[in-house]
Amino acid sequence: MAQRIGLLTSGGDCPGLNAAIRAVGKAAGETGDMRVIGFMNGFRGLVEDRTMELDDHLLSGIITHGGTILGTSRDKPHSMLIDGKIRDMTETIVKTYKRYHLDALVCIGGGGTQKNALHLKEAGLNVVSLPKTIDNDLAITDRSIGYDTALGIATEAVDRLHSTATSHSRIIVVEVMGHRAGWLALESGMAGGADVILIPEIPYEVETVAQAIRKRAKKGKHFSIVVVAEGAMSRTDASRVEKLVRRKDNARSKADKEEASERLRDFHEGHVNHTIELTRHLEKLAGQESRLTILGHLQRGGTPSALDRSFATWLGTRCIEILKKEQYGVMLALQGTELRAVALAQVAGKKKLVPRNHPLVQAARLVGTEFGD
Ligand code: F6P
């Protein structure tokens, strides 16, 4: 009997998702006995029974398209907004899975998706997941779909900002995405020859950054490019967060834990526009006109890079091989030059952050890049 596979994309969209959908669909078609049913808008599609038949016609020509033809959402199976209330929809999802007589569900997504995939595996579904995130922060895998394209976009932005910074003798602060990880800022900053790179893993002192900029000015370099990860933090903020995390982890009562969690949430919500403040500070401390560019969702839009297309195709086709072998409860991870199936439990809830002594950080320091520490 033909194998019936459900497929969804979940979490933030990014370029390369369509290449992965195409690869899963086409490789399944080639087997002659696999049928792929697309579920729309992430896990919500399984709740609302919104599907899309992934026939050959639909899969044609999408490898170059950004976004995802299946739509996406950040909905979690166990905590979904339904009719104005947060509900656990796991049971509904299991019922949909059974009603469609699915043999497996393929989930393409980032950190949140891997946790949700594990949750559904524990609820009894056969799940295989593929890594996707522009943040590059998924544990165990060296690469995730979307990162290469986002890196290219951020690097091009840094390149373009150089000429305007030079012409006006200004400091230009560029905020790049990455959630709580600094990969995108580190690599786009390095590739674009940024003078300062600020990442969450290396808390900074604003005076140290200003000092480096003043030193450049003394040498006749009257402009500076400062690439900042959206999650970067001053030392003061980082120690505040550390204390709250410790308080949450060591909380003796549920109430204490909830309070610490709420404070942490408040901090991160309030931190959203920290680069505005940083830019103002630098202008004052370095005595140089400053401007801020927030790249935001630009980094997630448009055509995928060649690397993201080929990587997504590799992942999608390998996924079909895994499904044929009925190897479930795994995520496909790139390790060196190999794609390996790793247990979801090894990935879910873990983050790959930039180690402070990572060779790339060392290389950036060796060419004079300031990290503000
Ligand atoms: O995880 C991808 C990402 O783009 C992060 O870099 C960013 O913090 C977040 O998603 C933004 O999410 P949203 O699109 O939901 O605002």
Side-chain angles (χ1 to χ4, degrees):
M1 223 175 53
Q3 244 181 314
R4 293 168 66 89
I5 310 298
L7 172 67
L8 60 83
T9 51
S10 169
D13 76 322
C14 70
L17 283 171
N18 283 327
I21 295 168
R22 170 183 177 272
V24 170
K26 289 207 175 220
E30 290 293 319
T31 66
D33 67 350
M34 246 189 212
R35 187 177 155 209
V36 182
I37 299 152
F39 286 90
M40 309 287 296
N41 305 326
F43 295 97
R44 187 168 285 271
L46 281 147
V47 172
E48 295 177 352
D49 199 0
R50 299 190 56 210
T51 60
M52 188 188 246
E53 194 71 38
L54 294 172
D55 58 34
D56 211 44
H57 175 69
L58 206 73
L59 298 173
S60 277
I62 63 168
I63 194 166
T64 55
H65 297 182
T68 158
I69 57 165
L70 288 174
T72 187
S73 73
R74 294 198 184 275
D75 289 310
K76 304 180 186 105
H78 59 282
S79 165
M80 203 177 281
L81 189 68
I82 304 283
D83 299 331
K85 277 199 186 135
I86 299 287
R87 295 175 201 265
D88 184 347
M89 302 308 288
T90 310
E91 223 174 277
T92 312
I93 289 176
V94 173
K95 277 188 191 152
T96 309
Y97 179 95
K98 288 187 176 154
R99 198 170 56 252
Y100 278 91
H101 303 288
L102 296 181
D103 295 292
L105 179 67
V106 176
C107 308
I108 313 176
T113 306
Q114 307 308 326
K115 280 197 228 168
N116 295 330
L118 178 63
H119 172 78
L120 292 181
K121 177 207 172 259
E122 284 164 356
L125 307 194
N126 296 327
V127 186
V128 173
S129 70
L130 306 183
K132 170 264 6 166
T133 171
I134 67 155
D135 304 334
N136 194 32
D137 61 351
L138 266 175
I140 315 283
T141 184
D142 295 346
R143 191 190 296 161
S144 298
I145 299 169
Y147 177 65
D148 185 66
T149 309
L151 179 57
I153 296 170
T155 303
E156 194 194 333
V158 176
D159 289 348
R160 288 181 183 276
L161 289 167
H162 251 105
S163 59
T164 166
T166 322
S167 306
H168 283 269
S169 301
R170 280 174 173 160
I171 298 170
I172 294 202
V173 176
V174 197
E175 183 191 303
V176 305
M177 278 187 168
H179 198 227
R180 311 268 161 81
W183 296 106
L184 207 48
L186 174 64
E187 290 208 73
S188 62
M190 285 179 79
D195 308 295
V196 179
I197 299 175
L198 304 178
I199 59 173
E201 297 85 345
I202 306 178
Y204 63 87
E205 208 61 82
V206 69
E207 177 48 34
T208 310
V209 177
Q211 215 174 19
I213 293 172
R214 289 196 300 261
K215 212 164 132 196
R216 279 175 53 76
K218 270 197 197 140
K219 283 202 240 158
K221 295 179 178 177
H222 295 286
F223 73 94
S224 287
I225 299 286
V226 181
V227 175
V228 189
E230 62 179 341
M233 270 180 225
S234 66
R235 279 200 190 151
T236 318
D237 283 344
S239 74
R240 201 184 309 164
V241 168
E242 219 174 278
K243 271 186 207 143
L244 284 171
V245 171
R246 228 178 300 134
R247 216 174 111 187
K248 187 179 142 201
D249 291 346
N250 301 333
R252 296 228 173 116
S253 68
K254 205 175 157 206
D256 272 0
K257 196 175 184 112
E258 268 166 21
E259 202 209 316
S261 302
E262 205 178 306
R263 287 203 181 191
L264 259 177
R265 242 191 333 268
D266 286 350
F267 172 84
H268 287 301
E269 274 168 22
H271 195 62
V272 163
N273 292 322
H274 70 109
T275 42
I276 299 177
E277 218 171 293
L278 172 69
T279 309
R280 272 197 218 121
H281 265 128
L282 287 180
E283 178 160 294
K284 243 195 234 160
L285 294 173
Q288 236 175 293
E289 208 178 19
S290 305
R291 292 288 187 271
L292 168 66
T293 301
I294 298 178
L295 296 183
H297 291 80
L298 254 184
Q299 295 155 104
R300 287 199 347 219
T303 315
S305 67
L307 195 109
D308 270 328
R309 294 181 210 180
S310 58
F311 181 52
T313 304
W314 187 19
L315 281 170
T317 53
R318 177 59 63 83
C319 174
I320 294 302
E321 286 173 29
I322 294 281
L323 291 168
K324 275 199 277 185
K325 286 193 232 157
E326 300 183 16
Q327 192 180 349
Y328 304 128
V330 293
M331 181 190 88
L332 285 181
L334 180 71
Q335 297 180 336
T337 54
E338 307 239 328
L339 271 189
R340 297 210 175 96
V342 295
L344 276 170
Q346 265 185 273
V347 183
K350 312 230 168 72
K351 263 193 192 307
K352 180 181 70 184
L353 297 176
V354 179
R356 286 183 71 107
N357 60 350
H358 191 278
L360 286 180
V361 174
Q362 289 176 20
R365 289 195 199 271
L366 287 172
V367 293
T369 313
E370 177 62 54
F371 283 83
D373 54 337

